[in-house]
Amino acid sequence: MEKPSKIAPAKGKLGILLPGMGAVSTTFMAGVELVRKGKSQPVGSLTQMGTIRLGKRTDARSPLIKKFVPLAELPDLTFGGWDIFKDNAYQSAAKAGVLNPQDLEKVKPFLSTIKPMKAAFDRDFVKLIDGPNTKKGKNKYELALQIKEDIANFRKTSRASRLVTCWCGSTESFVKPEEVHSTPEKFIEAMQSNHPAIAPSMLYAWASVTSGVPYANGSPNLSVDIPAIQRLAHDHNVAICGKDFKTGQTLLKTVLAPAFKARMLGLDGWFSTNILGNRDGEVLEDPGSFKTKEESKLSVLEYILQPQLYPQLYGKMHHKVRINYYPPRGDNKEGWDNIDIFGWLGYPMQIKVDFLCRDSILAAPIVLDLVLLLDLAQRAGMRGIQEWLSFYFKSPMTAPGLYPEHDLFIQSMKLKNTLRWMKGEDLITHLGQEYYD
């Protein structure tokens, strides 16, 4: 791809469309409003608090990222979304129980105005929850056209000059790519015939991309990770990325596993279990939905450790992932890991990690960064898969045949170098030999 000759300015409002207005979406919207009102800080957001080094270390040039590239400003963000429940964003946030009542009260007037549109929903893909606020249509294509109409109406009523969609809905039952996902034409035929391999999240992806709206996939669902949607993204000059927000346990895996590999420490096994009590945990009680999440979580170690290159160190590693729905824990997830490693002469060692995290608190700033950076990519004329945003995902999308980079530090370097590239700055290699010549 050629370097952008010019990045269009972030003029006007940026509309954020959120399929799924549960814990993550409402925590994100409430947080943005609290920051806008000067009541809190955007902790965890690279676009708001991060800096980027430019030039040599001796140049002392490290501006804030939001001052370096032309991102949309927080006051210009406006929100909409879909959900199977009729609760407005305030009611949904209160039920989710992520933010305390004192913080929610500060943004109650704002959140109360955000009401969900009727959702495209299919119990075949999310079996353990149901709600009354759903669309009706004779086939999936009709539902997708209704979503397109929602997008057009939101663009008009919000007076947004640009839109971004970020999927924050539930994990769907496991689906493998099929022939119906191969081309835009076959995909439309499959929607019209109600093909069982067309999931609701794909309808939102199709509707967004064909409406010229960038799309981020925050779940492990296939959604935009199929050839038909990727082709449409190129044809409509739309930026897409995914999949599955990298929040708690997997975030730590992409930090620890690169450390073991860098020091050539072996790994016998890695056992991970999660305890969570939010709607996500409830949905994942269904084996089909768990299979989708498991695939996303299990791929990380294989790609980072490359057992085919280091069979003595990682060829026999045993990686097990468990997720347990435990309602008393709510959104405060516990990720527990037992890691069996070995070192010099094969002597065994163990590492235990107990991460008592807040799932939506970790996810909310990811949503903010993704919508701002996707909008930036769109204004820079970048289309199709945005692999440079892998930093935010458990299972990053790549070009066909290309393995994904999971190492958090490689992902971070890739993201910042892409921003430097977009602005015509020298890329940072960290070679540093010039300081010693």
Side-chain angles (χ1 to χ4, degrees):
M1 180 183 291
E2 292 184 10
K3 184 167 61 178
S5 57
K6 187 178 180 182
I7 303 172
K11 287 184 178 178
K13 290 183 180 180
L14 175 62
I16 313 300
L17 285 165
L18 303 162
M21 282 177 51
V24 172
S25 290
T26 57
T27 303
F28 158 61
M29 291 186 285
V32 169
E33 182 67 1
L34 285 166
V35 173
R36 293 196 290 207
K37 292 168 71 74
K39 302 290 186 183
S40 197
Q41 294 293 321
V43 177
S45 169
L46 186 67
T47 62
Q48 301 306 299
M49 304 193 81
T51 61
I52 183 167
R53 181 189 130 198
L54 305 176
K56 297 180 179 180
R57 278 180 274 169
T58 50
D59 292 343
R61 297 170 59 212
S62 294
L64 286 167
I65 287 173
K66 65 180 181 179
K67 301 294 185 185
F68 174 59
V69 288
L71 299 177
E73 302 278 351
L74 296 193
D76 292 330
L77 303 189
T78 184
F79 307 95
W82 299 265
D83 203 273
I84 64 172
F85 299 106
K86 295 181 179 180
D87 296 337
N88 64 43
Y90 172 77
Q91 293 166 326
S92 180
K95 288 180 180 178
V98 178
L99 302 178
N100 63 50
Q102 293 88 345
D103 280 331
L104 278 181
E105 197 62 30
K106 296 172 188 173
V107 292
K108 182 178 180 178
F110 166 72
L111 290 178
S112 297
T113 65
I114 303 171
K115 298 177 173 64
M117 296 176 276
K118 288 185 177 182
F121 184 70
D122 188 338
R123 285 294 300 275
D124 288 340
F125 287 90
V126 179
K127 292 183 170 62
L128 298 184
I129 61 171
D130 200 0
N133 198 41
T134 55
K135 295 183 182 298
K136 299 291 185 286
K138 64 182 180 182
N139 56 41
K140 295 177 181 182
Y141 183 60
E142 195 170 287
L143 296 179
L145 292 177
Q146 290 178 32
I147 297 170
K148 280 197 72 158
E149 189 175 343
D150 290 341
I151 292 171
N153 288 337
F154 177 78
R155 191 193 298 269
K156 184 177 179 180
T157 57
S158 68
R159 296 182 180 176
S161 59
R162 307 173 319 283
L163 302 177
V164 175
T165 301
C166 185
W167 175 274
C168 295
S170 296
T171 298
E172 297 170 331
S173 292
F174 185 67
V175 176
K176 287 186 175 180
E178 297 188 19
E179 186 64 24
V180 295
H181 303 131
S182 61
T183 68
E185 294 77 18
K186 289 180 180 179
F187 188 81
I188 288 177
E189 290 174 5
M191 285 193 290
Q192 291 170 334
S193 64
N194 282 326
H195 195 284
I198 305 297
S201 64
M202 296 178 185
L203 306 183
Y204 288 94
W206 180 87
S208 295
V209 169
T210 57
S211 299
V213 178
Y215 189 98
N217 178 19
S219 75
N221 309 332
L222 276 181
S223 296
V224 290
D225 201 5
I226 54 176
I229 303 296
Q230 292 167 22
R231 179 72 261 161
L232 287 169
H234 269 266
D235 292 346
H236 291 267
N237 295 311
V238 171
I240 57 174
C241 63
K243 57 191 187 284
D244 204 2
F245 298 139
K246 181 157 63 177
T247 50
Q249 193 171 56
T250 307
L251 173 66
L252 294 186
K253 281 185 180 176
T254 61
V255 172
L256 292 173
F260 302 152
K261 182 180 173 184
R263 293 291 294 269
M264 290 288 103
L265 295 171
L267 178 68
D268 280 327
W270 197 314
F271 179 81
S272 299
T273 191
N274 295 266
I275 304 167
L276 71 163
N278 58 13
R279 194 187 299 175
D280 195 32
E282 184 178 3
V283 167
L284 292 174
E285 281 285 276
D286 171 58
S289 292
F290 172 72
K291 173 69 173 173
T292 308
K293 178 67 76 170
E294 183 183 37
E295 289 286 319
S296 176
K297 280 175 161 286
L298 284 175
S299 64
V300 172
L301 293 185
E302 288 282 340
Y303 283 116
I304 292 176
L305 297 176
Q306 298 175 294
Q308 73 279 10
L309 296 182
Y310 305 99
Q312 293 173 299
L313 298 176
Y314 311 118
K316 296 181 180 179
M317 68 174 176
H318 189 76
H319 187 195
K320 181 76 76 175
V321 173
R322 288 286 177 264
I323 298 175
N324 301 287
Y325 177 51
Y326 181 58
R329 192 56 59 88
D331 198 67
N332 296 338
K333 182 171 73 174
E334 182 168 1
W336 185 86
D337 292 80
N338 175 78
I339 312 165
D340 289 286
I341 65 172
F342 57 91
W344 185 246
L345 308 181
Y347 276 67
M349 295 173 277
Q350 278 195 350
I351 297 172
K352 312 282 189 185
V353 179
D354 191 11
F355 188 10
L356 290 95
C357 65
R358 295 173 179 264
D359 213 32
S360 297
I361 294 296
L362 291 168
I366 291 178
V367 178
L368 176 59
D369 284 357
L370 282 172
V371 297
L372 295 182
L373 293 172
L374 262 188
D375 175 56
L376 173 71
Q378 187 76 10
R379 286 183 283 112
M382 299 165 70
R383 62 182 181 176
I385 296 168
Q386 303 299 303
E387 194 196 336
W388 62 286
L389 298 176
S390 296
F391 179 72
Y392 297 104
F393 296 109
K394 287 188 185 77
S395 186
M397 290 169 61
T398 62
L402 191 65
Y403 72 82
E405 289 288 2
H406 280 276
D407 182 321
L408 186 77
F409 306 102
I410 293 175
Q411 292 174 335
S412 174
M413 188 186 300
K414 187 180 186 72
L415 188 154
K416 289 191 173 183
N417 266 339
T418 302
L419 295 178
R420 295 182 185 105
W421 169 81
M422 290 169 73
K423 291 286 288 182
E425 290 280 346
D426 290 338
L427 306 188
I428 303 295
T429 64
H430 299 287
L431 179 63
Q433 282 300 114
E434 68 271 20
Y435 302 119
Y436 302 96
D437 290 338

